[in-house]
Amino acid sequence: MLQFDSKIVGKEIGFGYLRDKIEGRGFTIGGNWEYYKGSFDTVLWKEGGETIYLRVPFIVTEGELDNEDAKIRFQNPFVIKHVANVGLDYDEGSLLDASGVSQFQTPVDKDGHIHDKSRWISAGEQVVEKRVLPYFH
């Protein structure tokens, strides 16, 4: 995990408003959300079973996350690499996509080693700057 400083840290905004704006720019709400915290995630790079994500975490300062009117405050973003097991899964209950990687599969390594750290921190900074910060007034 590569955490970095960003101009977004400490900024507050309406959850529903921002979610609606940045979903069309490649972000999704991270699957590990709770009523009081969450993150917006986007893929920076993907090849085979390796994916590098930008995660922009936040805490809820007003309301709860399942409410469109909730207010959120951002924390330090970070870049993380997930490594999935690519290949056939012979479990009887497995759900595989066309590439043979189950979308429900737990990553083999949730925090894989990231080569060229400065490159991915820079990429993360640029994505936050261009795809998220423009919605703050």
Side-chain angles (χ1 to χ4, degrees), residues 18 20-21 28 37 40 44 54 61 76 81 83 87 96 125-127:
L18 185 62
D20 292 348
K21 297 292 184 186
T28 59
K37 68 176 183 164
F40 287 111
L44 295 176
L54 168 64
T61 59
N76 287 81
K81 179 178 178 181
V83 180
L96 300 177
E125 290 169 338
Q126 289 176 26
V127 169

Side-chain angles (χ1 to χ4, degrees), residues 1 7 11 14 17 20 23 30 43 52 54 61 64 71 76 81-83 95 99-100 103 111 120 122 131 134:
M1 177 175 82
K7 294 177 187 175
K11 292 200 180 285
Y17 166 79
D20 292 348
E23 277 184 340
V43 173
I52 296 180
L54 168 64
T61 59
E64 293 184 339
K71 301 285 184 217
N76 287 81
K81 179 178 178 181
H82 286 188
V83 180
L95 298 171
S99 69
Q103 65 177 327
D111 194 11
W120 294 112
S122 178
R131 294 195 219 164

Side-chain angles (χ1 to χ4, degrees), residues 29-39 58 65-66:
I29 184 75
N32 59 343
W33 68 273
E34 301 283 340
Y35 291 106
Y36 60 93
K37 68 176 183 164
S39 66
F58 56 81
L65 197 53
D66 63 342

